[in-house]
Amino acid sequence: MRYHRIPDETVRRLPVYLRGLMVSANQGDQYISSGSLADFVGVNSWQIRKDFSYFGDFGTRGVGYDIEKLAREIKKILRLDVIRRAVLAGVGDLGSALLAYPGFSVYGLDIVAAFDIDPNKIGRSMNGVTIEDFAQVDAVAQRDISLAIIAVPRAAAQLAVDRLVAAGIKGILNFAPCKVSIPRRVKVITLDIAMELARLPYYIPRAGRMDEP
Amino acid sequence: MRYHRIPDETVRRLPVYLRGLMVSANQGDQYISSGSLADFVGVNSWQIRKDFSYFGDFGTRGVGYDIEKLAREIKKILRLDVIRRAVLAGVGDLGSALLAYPGFSVYGLDIVAAFDIDPNKIGRSMNGVTIEDFAQVDAVAQRDISLAIIAVPRAAAQLAVDRLVAAGIKGILNFAPCKVSIPRRVKVITLDIAMELARLPYYIPRAGRMDEP
DNA sequence: CCATGTGAAGGTATTCACAGCC
DNA sequence: GGCTGTGAATACCTTCACATGG
Protein backbone atom coordinates (compact mmCIF):
# COMPACT_ATOMS: atom_id res chain seq x y z
CA MET A 1 0.00 0.00 0.00
CA ARG A 2 1.31 3.39 -0.96
CA TYR A 3 0.64 6.90 0.19
CA HIS A 4 -2.66 8.31 -0.93
CA ARG A 5 -4.52 11.39 0.08
CA ILE A 6 -8.03 10.34 1.11
CA PRO A 7 -10.65 11.83 -1.25
CA ASP A 8 -13.38 13.96 0.31
CA GLU A 9 -16.03 11.66 -1.07
CA THR A 10 -14.41 8.77 0.74
CA VAL A 11 -14.39 10.76 3.98
CA ARG A 12 -18.09 11.35 3.45
CA ARG A 13 -18.69 7.60 3.18
CA LEU A 14 -16.55 6.55 6.12
CA PRO A 15 -19.21 7.31 8.75
CA VAL A 16 -21.64 5.21 6.70
CA TYR A 17 -19.29 2.25 6.78
CA LEU A 18 -18.60 2.81 10.46
CA ARG A 19 -22.28 2.63 11.31
CA GLY A 20 -22.69 -0.49 9.18
CA LEU A 21 -19.73 -2.14 10.90
CA MET A 22 -21.08 -1.34 14.34
CA VAL A 23 -24.45 -2.86 13.51
CA SER A 24 -22.71 -5.97 12.15
CA ALA A 25 -20.59 -6.22 15.28
CA ASN A 26 -23.77 -6.16 17.36
CA GLN A 27 -24.98 -9.17 15.39
CA GLY A 28 -21.93 -11.04 16.65
CA ASP A 29 -20.06 -11.37 13.35
CA GLN A 30 -16.30 -11.09 13.38
CA TYR A 31 -15.59 -10.70 9.68
CA ILE A 32 -17.48 -9.03 6.87
CA SER A 33 -16.75 -9.03 3.14
CA SER A 34 -16.92 -5.92 1.00
CA GLY A 35 -19.89 -7.53 -0.75
CA SER A 36 -21.96 -7.99 2.40
CA LEU A 37 -21.11 -4.54 3.66
CA ALA A 38 -22.10 -3.22 0.25
CA ASP A 39 -25.58 -4.75 0.49
CA PHE A 40 -25.89 -3.38 3.97
CA VAL A 41 -24.91 0.25 3.44
CA GLY A 42 -25.87 0.72 -0.19
CA VAL A 43 -22.45 1.32 -1.77
CA ASN A 44 -20.80 -0.88 -4.43
CA SER A 45 -18.32 -3.44 -3.18
CA TRP A 46 -15.52 -2.14 -5.42
CA GLN A 47 -16.12 1.36 -4.15
CA ILE A 48 -15.78 0.08 -0.60
CA ARG A 49 -12.54 -1.73 -1.37
CA LYS A 50 -11.14 1.30 -3.14
CA ASP A 51 -12.07 3.51 -0.22
CA PHE A 52 -10.39 1.19 2.27
CA SER A 53 -7.33 0.91 0.06
CA TYR A 54 -6.57 4.58 0.63
CA PHE A 55 -5.59 3.95 4.19
CA GLY A 56 -4.13 0.51 4.49
CA ASP A 57 -4.51 -3.23 4.17
CA PHE A 58 -7.17 -4.28 6.60
CA GLY A 59 -8.75 -7.19 4.83
CA THR A 60 -7.72 -10.81 4.58
CA ARG A 61 -8.07 -12.20 1.10
CA GLY A 62 -10.60 -14.98 0.94
CA VAL A 63 -12.06 -13.94 4.30
CA GLY A 64 -13.00 -10.29 4.52
CA TYR A 65 -12.45 -7.50 6.98
CA ASP A 66 -12.04 -7.85 10.74
CA ILE A 67 -14.99 -5.78 11.89
CA GLU A 68 -13.58 -4.58 15.21
CA LYS A 69 -10.21 -3.71 13.79
CA LEU A 70 -11.64 -1.87 10.81
CA ALA A 71 -14.12 0.07 12.92
CA ARG A 72 -11.30 1.13 15.23
CA GLU A 73 -9.23 2.25 12.28
CA ILE A 74 -12.03 4.27 10.69
CA LYS A 75 -12.65 5.97 14.01
CA LYS A 76 -8.99 6.89 14.15
CA ILE A 77 -9.02 8.34 10.65
CA LEU A 78 -12.15 10.34 11.36
CA ARG A 79 -10.52 11.38 14.64
CA LEU A 80 -13.46 9.90 16.49
CA ASP A 81 -11.17 7.78 18.65
CA VAL A 82 -11.65 10.27 21.47
CA ILE A 83 -14.99 11.50 22.77
CA ARG A 84 -15.82 14.73 20.97
CA ARG A 85 -17.63 17.31 23.03
CA ALA A 86 -20.01 19.70 21.30
CA VAL A 87 -21.87 22.86 22.19
CA LEU A 88 -25.34 23.71 20.91
CA ALA A 89 -26.23 27.30 20.06
CA GLY A 90 -29.97 27.90 19.91
CA VAL A 91 -32.44 25.77 21.86
CA GLY A 92 -35.59 26.31 19.78
CA ASP A 93 -37.60 23.50 18.27
CA LEU A 94 -34.73 22.14 16.23
CA GLY A 95 -32.15 22.70 18.97
CA SER A 96 -34.30 20.86 21.49
CA ALA A 97 -34.70 17.96 19.12
CA LEU A 98 -30.92 17.81 18.65
CA LEU A 99 -30.36 17.82 22.41
CA ALA A 100 -32.67 14.83 22.67
CA TYR A 101 -31.28 13.10 19.58
CA PRO A 102 -29.87 9.69 20.51
CA GLY A 103 -27.84 9.19 17.34
CA PHE A 104 -24.74 11.16 18.23
CA SER A 105 -23.42 8.79 20.88
CA VAL A 106 -22.61 5.95 18.47
CA TYR A 107 -19.91 8.18 17.02
CA GLY A 108 -18.64 9.25 20.43
CA LEU A 109 -20.16 12.69 20.02
CA ASP A 110 -21.59 14.36 23.09
CA ILE A 111 -23.50 17.63 23.42
CA VAL A 112 -22.32 18.92 26.78
CA ALA A 113 -23.46 22.54 26.69
CA ALA A 114 -26.33 24.57 25.26
CA PHE A 115 -26.78 28.30 24.92
CA ASP A 116 -29.71 30.55 24.11
CA ILE A 117 -30.59 34.22 24.51
CA ASP A 118 -34.16 33.63 25.69
CA PRO A 119 -34.37 34.32 29.47
CA ASN A 120 -37.27 31.89 29.72
CA LYS A 121 -35.02 29.07 28.56
CA ILE A 122 -31.83 29.98 30.40
CA GLY A 123 -31.40 27.88 33.52
CA ARG A 124 -33.75 25.14 32.38
CA SER A 125 -32.39 21.68 31.92
CA MET A 126 -32.91 19.30 29.00
CA ASN A 127 -31.43 15.82 28.73
CA GLY A 128 -28.93 16.58 31.46
CA VAL A 129 -27.75 19.80 29.84
CA THR A 130 -28.51 23.13 31.51
CA ILE A 131 -29.22 25.95 29.09
CA GLU A 132 -26.86 28.87 29.61
CA ASP A 133 -26.93 32.50 28.58
CA PHE A 134 -25.36 32.99 25.15
CA ALA A 135 -23.72 36.13 26.50
CA GLN A 136 -21.46 33.80 28.48
CA VAL A 137 -20.58 31.59 25.52
CA ASP A 138 -16.88 32.51 25.70
CA ALA A 139 -16.65 30.19 28.70
CA VAL A 140 -16.66 27.17 26.37
CA ALA A 141 -13.00 27.95 25.73
CA GLN A 142 -12.17 26.47 29.14
CA ARG A 143 -14.27 23.33 28.72
CA ASP A 144 -12.52 21.19 26.14
CA ILE A 145 -15.21 21.57 23.49
CA SER A 146 -14.16 21.46 19.85
CA LEU A 147 -17.47 21.21 17.96
CA ALA A 148 -20.50 23.46 17.74
CA ILE A 149 -24.00 23.04 16.35
CA ILE A 150 -25.75 26.19 15.15
CA ALA A 151 -29.54 26.01 15.44
CA VAL A 152 -30.36 29.70 15.63
CA PRO A 153 -32.39 31.79 13.16
CA ARG A 154 -30.59 32.91 10.03
CA ALA A 155 -30.23 36.49 11.22
CA ALA A 156 -28.33 35.36 14.32
CA ALA A 157 -26.14 32.74 12.69
CA GLN A 158 -23.10 34.82 11.75
CA LEU A 159 -22.90 36.39 15.21
CA ALA A 160 -23.20 33.01 16.90
CA VAL A 161 -20.46 31.61 14.67
CA ASP A 162 -18.15 34.55 15.36
CA ARG A 163 -18.52 34.17 19.10
CA LEU A 164 -18.00 30.40 18.96
CA VAL A 165 -14.91 30.71 16.79
CA ALA A 166 -13.54 33.29 19.22
CA ALA A 167 -14.16 30.73 21.97
CA GLY A 168 -11.91 28.25 20.19
CA ILE A 169 -14.43 26.06 18.36
CA LYS A 170 -12.79 24.16 15.47
CA GLY A 171 -15.72 22.61 13.64
CA ILE A 172 -19.29 23.79 13.10
CA LEU A 173 -22.43 22.04 11.94
CA ASN A 174 -24.67 24.86 10.74
CA PHE A 175 -28.41 24.38 10.41
CA ALA A 176 -29.09 28.03 9.63
CA PRO A 177 -30.01 28.47 5.96
CA CYS A 178 -27.20 30.79 5.01
CA LYS A 179 -23.51 30.96 4.27
CA VAL A 180 -21.38 31.85 7.27
CA SER A 181 -17.90 33.33 7.06
CA ILE A 182 -15.15 31.80 9.14
CA PRO A 183 -11.36 31.79 9.31
CA ARG A 184 -9.83 29.08 7.16
CA ARG A 185 -8.66 27.02 10.11
CA VAL A 186 -12.29 26.34 11.07
CA LYS A 187 -14.42 23.85 9.15
CA VAL A 188 -18.13 24.44 8.59
CA ILE A 189 -20.66 21.98 7.26
CA THR A 190 -23.96 23.65 6.45
CA LEU A 191 -27.00 21.44 6.49
CA ASP A 192 -30.06 23.19 5.17
CA ILE A 193 -33.00 20.90 5.73
CA ALA A 194 -35.48 22.74 3.53
CA MET A 195 -32.99 22.73 0.68
CA GLU A 196 -32.67 18.96 0.77
CA LEU A 197 -36.44 18.62 0.51
CA ALA A 198 -36.46 21.24 -2.24
CA ARG A 199 -34.31 19.24 -4.64
CA LEU A 200 -36.53 16.19 -4.36
CA PRO A 201 -39.24 17.30 -6.84
CA TYR A 202 -36.57 17.57 -9.56
CA TYR A 203 -36.26 13.80 -9.53
CA ILE A 204 -39.99 13.21 -9.70
CA PRO A 205 -41.14 12.77 -13.28
CA ARG A 206 -44.14 14.82 -14.23
CA ALA A 207 -47.26 12.85 -15.01
CA GLY A 208 -47.22 11.88 -18.67
CA ARG A 209 -43.51 12.45 -19.14
CA MET A 210 -41.41 9.50 -18.07
CA ASP A 211 -38.35 10.41 -20.12
CA GLU A 212 -36.73 12.91 -17.75
CA PRO A 213 -34.49 13.39 -16.04
CA MET B 1 -27.03 27.45 -26.05
CA ARG B 2 -27.06 23.74 -26.77
CA TYR B 3 -28.63 20.76 -25.08
CA HIS B 4 -26.97 19.71 -21.89
CA ARG B 5 -27.97 17.28 -19.22
CA ILE B 6 -27.87 19.11 -15.90
CA PRO B 7 -25.21 17.59 -13.60
CA ASP B 8 -26.38 16.36 -10.21
CA GLU B 9 -23.99 18.70 -8.46
CA THR B 10 -25.60 21.60 -10.26
CA VAL B 11 -29.04 20.42 -9.15
CA ARG B 12 -27.71 20.37 -5.62
CA ARG B 13 -26.62 23.99 -5.91
CA LEU B 14 -29.78 25.31 -7.57
CA PRO B 15 -31.73 25.65 -4.30
CA VAL B 16 -28.79 27.62 -2.89
CA TYR B 17 -28.94 30.06 -5.77
CA LEU B 18 -32.70 30.24 -5.51
CA ARG B 19 -32.54 31.25 -1.87
CA GLY B 20 -29.87 33.83 -2.64
CA LEU B 21 -31.94 35.27 -5.46
CA MET B 22 -35.01 35.55 -3.27
CA VAL B 23 -33.10 37.38 -0.58
CA SER B 24 -31.70 39.75 -3.21
CA ALA B 25 -35.16 40.34 -4.63
CA ASN B 26 -36.35 41.30 -1.15
CA GLN B 27 -33.63 43.94 -1.08
CA GLY B 28 -35.25 45.49 -4.14
CA ASP B 29 -32.54 44.73 -6.68
CA GLN B 30 -33.55 43.83 -10.19
CA TYR B 31 -30.27 42.50 -11.53
CA ILE B 32 -27.44 40.59 -9.94
CA SER B 33 -24.07 39.62 -11.42
CA SER B 34 -22.53 36.19 -11.02
CA GLY B 35 -19.84 37.84 -8.91
CA SER B 36 -22.24 39.36 -6.39
CA LEU B 37 -24.26 36.18 -6.18
CA ALA B 38 -21.01 34.30 -5.66
CA ASP B 39 -20.10 36.43 -2.63
CA PHE B 40 -23.56 35.95 -1.31
CA VAL B 41 -23.97 32.20 -1.56
CA GLY B 42 -20.36 31.08 -1.32
CA VAL B 43 -19.84 29.54 -4.76
CA ASN B 44 -17.34 30.76 -7.36
CA SER B 45 -18.66 33.09 -10.03
CA TRP B 46 -17.47 30.86 -12.87
CA GLN B 47 -19.17 27.89 -11.26
CA ILE B 48 -22.40 29.86 -11.12
CA ARG B 49 -22.15 30.90 -14.77
CA LYS B 50 -21.35 27.34 -15.83
CA ASP B 51 -24.30 26.03 -13.83
CA PHE B 52 -26.67 28.54 -15.41
CA SER B 53 -25.29 27.79 -18.85
CA TYR B 54 -26.67 24.25 -18.65
CA PHE B 55 -30.21 25.47 -18.96
CA GLY B 56 -30.28 28.61 -21.02
CA ASP B 57 -29.19 32.18 -21.57
CA PHE B 58 -30.60 34.20 -18.74
CA GLY B 59 -27.98 36.85 -18.28
CA THR B 60 -27.34 40.10 -20.06
CA ARG B 61 -23.66 40.72 -20.75
CA GLY B 62 -22.41 43.77 -18.94
CA VAL B 63 -25.44 43.78 -16.67
CA GLY B 64 -26.07 40.48 -14.95
CA TYR B 65 -29.08 38.27 -14.37
CA ASP B 66 -32.69 39.39 -14.07
CA ILE B 67 -33.40 38.16 -10.56
CA GLU B 68 -37.14 37.54 -10.95
CA LYS B 69 -36.79 35.80 -14.26
CA LEU B 70 -33.93 33.60 -13.11
CA ALA B 71 -35.66 32.64 -9.87
CA ARG B 72 -38.76 31.67 -11.81
CA GLU B 73 -36.70 29.57 -14.17
CA ILE B 74 -34.84 27.76 -11.39
CA LYS B 75 -38.15 26.99 -9.71
CA LYS B 76 -39.38 25.52 -12.95
CA ILE B 77 -36.31 23.34 -13.35
CA LEU B 78 -36.55 22.12 -9.77
CA ARG B 79 -40.27 21.60 -10.38
CA LEU B 80 -41.03 23.93 -7.50
CA ASP B 81 -43.31 26.06 -9.68
CA VAL B 82 -46.28 24.38 -8.06
CA ILE B 83 -46.89 24.06 -4.32
CA ARG B 84 -45.54 20.72 -3.19
CA ARG B 85 -47.46 19.02 -0.44
CA ALA B 86 -45.61 16.75 1.98
CA VAL B 87 -46.51 14.24 4.64
CA LEU B 88 -44.53 13.73 7.84
CA ALA B 89 -44.10 10.25 9.30
CA GLY B 90 -43.10 10.29 12.97
CA VAL B 91 -43.91 13.20 15.26
CA GLY B 92 -41.21 12.77 17.90
CA ASP B 93 -38.75 15.48 18.85
CA LEU B 94 -37.34 15.82 15.35
CA GLY B 95 -40.70 15.46 13.65
CA SER B 96 -42.22 18.16 15.84
CA ALA B 97 -39.36 20.48 15.04
CA LEU B 98 -39.88 19.86 11.33
CA LEU B 99 -43.61 20.59 11.63
CA ALA B 100 -42.72 23.92 13.22
CA TYR B 101 -39.86 24.65 10.81
CA PRO B 102 -40.53 27.89 8.92
CA GLY B 103 -37.96 27.32 6.18
CA PHE B 104 -39.97 25.07 3.88
CA SER B 105 -42.40 27.70 2.69
CA VAL B 106 -39.85 29.76 0.73
CA TYR B 107 -39.55 26.82 -1.64
CA GLY B 108 -43.30 26.33 -1.86
CA LEU B 109 -43.12 23.21 0.28
CA ASP B 110 -45.96 22.54 2.68
CA ILE B 111 -46.34 19.83 5.31
CA VAL B 112 -50.06 19.12 5.21
CA ALA B 113 -50.29 15.83 7.09
CA ALA B 114 -48.53 14.06 9.95
CA PHE B 115 -48.74 10.47 11.13
CA ASP B 116 -47.60 8.66 14.25
CA ILE B 117 -48.36 5.37 15.99
CA ASP B 118 -48.47 6.82 19.51
CA PRO B 119 -52.11 7.03 20.68
CA ASN B 120 -51.16 9.95 22.96
CA LYS B 121 -50.18 12.00 19.93
CA ILE B 122 -52.91 10.97 17.52
CA GLY B 123 -55.61 13.61 17.34
CA ARG B 124 -53.46 16.40 18.71
CA SER B 125 -52.76 19.38 16.54
CA MET B 126 -49.44 21.10 15.85
CA ASN B 127 -48.98 24.11 13.60
CA GLY B 128 -52.36 23.56 12.01
CA VAL B 129 -51.69 19.90 11.26
CA THR B 130 -53.66 17.21 13.09
CA ILE B 131 -51.67 14.09 13.86
CA GLU B 132 -53.27 11.00 12.38
CA ASP B 133 -52.91 7.30 13.02
CA PHE B 134 -50.16 5.78 10.89
CA ALA B 135 -52.41 2.78 10.33
CA GLN B 136 -54.48 5.08 8.11
CA VAL B 137 -51.52 6.38 6.11
CA ASP B 138 -52.84 4.89 2.86
CA ALA B 139 -55.33 7.74 2.79
CA VAL B 140 -52.60 10.14 1.61
CA ALA B 141 -53.09 8.60 -1.84
CA GLN B 142 -56.29 10.65 -2.19
CA ARG B 143 -54.81 13.93 -1.00
CA ASP B 144 -52.43 15.09 -3.72
CA ILE B 145 -49.28 14.60 -1.66
CA SER B 146 -46.08 13.72 -3.50
CA LEU B 147 -43.37 14.11 -0.85
CA ALA B 148 -42.74 12.43 2.49
CA ILE B 149 -40.44 13.11 5.40
CA ILE B 150 -39.39 10.13 7.50
CA ALA B 151 -38.63 11.02 11.11
CA VAL B 152 -39.24 7.67 12.77
CA PRO B 153 -36.70 5.48 14.61
CA ARG B 154 -34.41 3.39 12.46
CA ALA B 155 -36.25 0.15 13.19
CA ALA B 156 -39.50 1.60 11.80
CA ALA B 157 -38.06 3.37 8.79
CA GLN B 158 -38.34 0.64 6.15
CA LEU B 159 -41.94 -0.12 7.09
CA ALA B 160 -42.88 3.55 6.99
CA VAL B 161 -41.24 3.91 3.59
CA ASP B 162 -43.02 0.85 2.20
CA ARG B 163 -46.41 2.12 3.31
CA LEU B 164 -45.77 5.61 1.94
CA VAL B 165 -44.58 4.30 -1.40
CA ALA B 166 -47.69 2.14 -1.59
CA ALA B 167 -49.70 5.29 -0.96
CA GLY B 168 -48.18 6.90 -4.03
CA ILE B 169 -45.38 9.01 -2.54
CA LYS B 170 -42.75 9.91 -5.17
CA GLY B 171 -39.95 11.51 -3.15
CA ILE B 172 -38.72 10.87 0.38
CA LEU B 173 -36.48 12.82 2.71
CA ASN B 174 -35.24 10.23 5.19
CA PHE B 175 -33.85 11.26 8.57
CA ALA B 176 -33.57 7.71 9.85
CA PRO B 177 -29.91 6.63 10.00
CA CYS B 178 -30.16 3.70 7.65
CA LYS B 179 -30.44 2.73 4.02
CA VAL B 180 -34.01 2.18 2.86
CA SER B 181 -34.98 0.11 -0.16
CA ILE B 182 -37.42 1.58 -2.64
CA PRO B 183 -38.60 0.96 -6.19
CA ARG B 184 -36.49 2.81 -8.74
CA ARG B 185 -39.25 5.25 -9.64
CA VAL B 186 -39.07 6.74 -6.14
CA LYS B 187 -36.26 9.06 -5.10
CA VAL B 188 -34.85 9.03 -1.57
CA ILE B 189 -32.50 11.52 -0.02
CA THR B 190 -31.14 10.31 3.30
CA LEU B 191 -29.99 12.97 5.70
CA ASP B 192 -28.22 11.52 8.70
CA ILE B 193 -27.59 14.36 11.11
CA ALA B 194 -25.17 12.52 13.39
CA MET B 195 -23.12 11.48 10.39
CA GLU B 196 -22.63 15.04 9.26
CA LEU B 197 -21.34 15.98 12.69
CA ALA B 198 -19.18 12.86 12.71
CA ARG B 199 -17.12 13.87 9.68
CA LEU B 200 -16.28 17.24 11.16
CA PRO B 201 -13.41 16.10 13.43
CA TYR B 202 -11.57 14.76 10.37
CA TYR B 203 -11.03 18.33 9.22
CA ILE B 204 -9.79 19.52 12.59
CA PRO B 205 -6.01 19.36 12.78
CA ARG B 206 -4.69 17.69 15.89
CA ALA B 207 -2.77 19.95 18.22
CA GLY B 208 0.86 20.06 17.15
CA ARG B 209 0.25 18.73 13.65
CA MET B 210 -0.77 21.40 11.21
CA ASP B 211 0.21 19.51 8.05
CA GLU B 212 -2.91 17.33 7.64
CA PRO B 213 -5.25 16.72 6.08
C1' DC C 1 -11.26 -20.89 -4.65
C1' DC C 2 -12.61 -16.64 -2.64
C1' DA C 3 -12.23 -11.97 -1.57
C1' DT C 4 -8.91 -8.22 -1.29
C1' DG C 5 -6.16 -4.51 -3.30
C1' DT C 6 -4.90 -1.64 -7.20
C1' DG C 7 -3.29 0.11 -11.72
C1' DA C 8 -5.71 1.63 -15.74
C1' DA C 9 -9.76 3.27 -18.11
C1' DG C 10 -13.66 5.85 -18.17
C1' DG C 11 -16.74 9.39 -16.65
C1' DT C 12 -18.04 13.54 -14.27
C1' DA C 13 -17.35 18.00 -12.34
C1' DT C 14 -14.40 22.13 -11.66
C1' DT C 15 -11.42 25.64 -13.18
C1' DC C 16 -9.48 28.45 -16.62
C1' DA C 17 -9.22 31.75 -20.21
C1' DC C 18 -11.17 34.31 -23.43
C1' DA C 19 -14.45 35.28 -27.23
C1' DG C 20 -18.85 37.57 -27.65
C1' DC C 21 -22.15 40.92 -26.58
C1' DC C 22 -24.52 44.79 -24.20
C1' DG D 1 -15.66 48.46 -19.61
C1' DG D 2 -18.04 44.92 -17.63
C1' DC D 3 -20.14 40.64 -17.39
C1' DT D 4 -21.90 36.57 -19.60
C1' DG D 5 -21.38 32.09 -21.89
C1' DT D 6 -18.48 28.29 -23.19
C1' DG D 7 -14.84 25.23 -25.27
C1' DA D 8 -10.63 23.40 -23.53
C1' DA D 9 -7.73 21.92 -19.78
C1' DT D 10 -7.49 20.08 -15.51
C1' DA D 11 -8.69 17.69 -11.39
C1' DC D 12 -11.37 14.42 -9.24
C1' DC D 13 -14.00 10.31 -8.53
C1' DT D 14 -15.89 5.83 -10.06
C1' DT D 15 -15.76 1.61 -12.39
C1' DC D 16 -13.45 -2.15 -14.35
C1' DA D 17 -10.52 -6.09 -14.66
C1' DC D 18 -7.37 -8.81 -12.87
C1' DA D 19 -3.12 -9.89 -10.37
C1' DT D 20 -2.25 -11.18 -5.66
C1' DG D 21 -2.39 -13.72 -1.53
C1' DG D 22 -4.62 -16.48 2.39
Side-chain angles (χ1 to χ4, degrees), chain B residues 106-128:
Chain B
V106 302
Y107 293 112
L109 303 164
D110 197 7
I111 301 180
V112 297
F115 290 84
D116 205 297
I117 53 164
D118 182 349
N120 295 318
K121 289 175 186 159
I122 295 164
R124 292 172 70 171
S125 209
M126 299 184 65
N127 277 71

Side-chain angles (χ1 to χ4, degrees), chain B residues 4-19:
Chain B
H4 280 115
R5 154 186 169 282
I6 300 178
D8 265 359
E9 292 302 308
T10 297
V11 174
R12 175 178 259 106
R13 283 187 294 265
L14 287 181
V16 183
Y17 302 147
L18 184 54
R19 201 184 53 213

Side-chain angles (χ1 to χ4, degrees), chain A residues 7-9 13 44 46-47 50 54 61-62:
Chain A
D8 265 0
E9 292 303 308
R13 284 187 294 266
N44 298 319
W46 53 83
Q47 180 74 78
K50 180 60 111 177
Y54 291 121
R61 290 163 205 241

Side-chain angles (χ1 to χ4, degrees), chain A residues 160-192:
Chain A
V161 166
D162 292 343
R163 301 283 311 265
L164 286 163
V165 169
I169 289 300
K170 302 289 198 308
I172 294 174
L173 182 59
N174 173 38
F175 284 91
C178 59
K179 173 197 149 204
V180 291
S181 305
I182 33 96
R184 233 197 347 266
R185 67 173 189 283
V186 178
K187 170 78 176 180
V188 175
I189 294 175
T190 292
L191 208 170
D192 186 333

Side-chain angles (χ1 to χ4, degrees), chain B residues 133-200:
Chain B
D133 187 348
F134 191 76
Q136 260 85 61
V137 77
D138 307 312
V140 304
Q142 272 81 52
R143 290 204 253 165
D144 184 31
I145 297 174
S146 55
L147 305 176
I149 302 174
I150 304 286
V152 302
R154 176 173 31 206
Q158 184 64 55
L159 178 68
V161 166
D162 291 343
R163 300 283 311 266
L164 287 162
V165 169
I169 290 300
K170 301 290 199 309
I172 294 174
L173 182 59
N174 172 39
F175 284 91
C178 58
K179 173 194 148 205
V180 290
S181 305
I182 32 97
R184 234 199 344 268
R185 67 173 189 282
V186 178
K187 170 78 176 179
V188 174
I189 293 176
T190 292
L191 208 170
D192 185 335
I193 292 171
M195 226 161 69
E196 297 297 316
L197 190 61
R199 70 194 170 90
L200 218 30

Side-chain angles (χ1 to χ4, degrees), chain A residues 79 170 184-185, chain B residues 203-213:
Chain A
R79 311 214 220 271
K170 302 289 198 308
R184 233 197 347 266
R185 67 173 189 283
Chain B
Y203 297 97
I204 301 177
R206 287 186 205 275
R209 302 207 43 197
M210 299 303 283
D211 53 278
E212 280 193 76

Side-chain angles (χ1 to χ4, degrees), chain B residues 6-178:
Chain B
I6 300 178
D8 265 359
E9 292 302 308
T10 297
V11 174
R12 175 178 259 106
R13 283 187 294 265
L14 287 181
V16 183
Y17 302 147
L18 184 54
R19 201 184 53 213
L21 291 170
M22 289 193 286
V23 175
S24 291
N26 280 351
Q27 288 173 3
D29 303 344
Q30 190 181 355
Y31 290 94
I32 192 166
S33 68
S34 58
S36 320
L37 187 57
D39 293 342
F40 200 69
V41 300
V43 177
N44 297 320
S45 60
W46 55 82
Q47 179 74 78
I48 290 177
R49 291 201 302 278
K50 180 61 110 179
D51 283 342
F52 290 172
S53 80
Y54 292 122
F55 52 87
D57 301 351
F58 296 110
T60 311
R61 290 161 205 243
V63 179
Y65 298 92
D66 181 317
I67 294 176
E68 284 291 347
K69 203 175 109 193
L70 183 55
R72 219 170 25 244
E73 196 58 32
I74 293 179
K75 276 188 195 154
K76 205 161 108 191
I77 291 158
L78 290 174
R79 310 213 221 270
L80 291 170
D81 46 348
V82 295
I83 302 275
R84 289 284 174 174
R85 292 152 55 91
V87 52
L88 172 68
V91 194
D93 290 304
L94 182 59
S96 303
L98 294 172
L99 262 185
Y101 191 65
F104 294 122
S105 62
V106 302
Y107 293 112
L109 303 164
D110 197 7
I111 301 180
V112 297
F115 290 84
D116 205 297
I117 53 164
D118 182 349
N120 295 318
K121 289 175 186 159
I122 295 164
R124 292 172 70 171
S125 209
M126 299 184 65
N127 277 71
V129 177
T130 302
I131 301 168
E132 301 168 65
D133 187 348
F134 191 76
Q136 260 85 61
V137 77
D138 307 312
V140 304
Q142 272 81 52
R143 290 204 253 165
D144 184 31
I145 297 174
S146 55
L147 305 176
I149 302 174
I150 304 286
V152 302
R154 176 173 31 206
Q158 184 64 55
L159 178 68
V161 166
D162 291 343
R163 300 283 311 266
L164 287 162
V165 169
I169 290 300
K170 301 290 199 309
I172 294 174
L173 182 59
N174 172 39
F175 284 91
C178 58

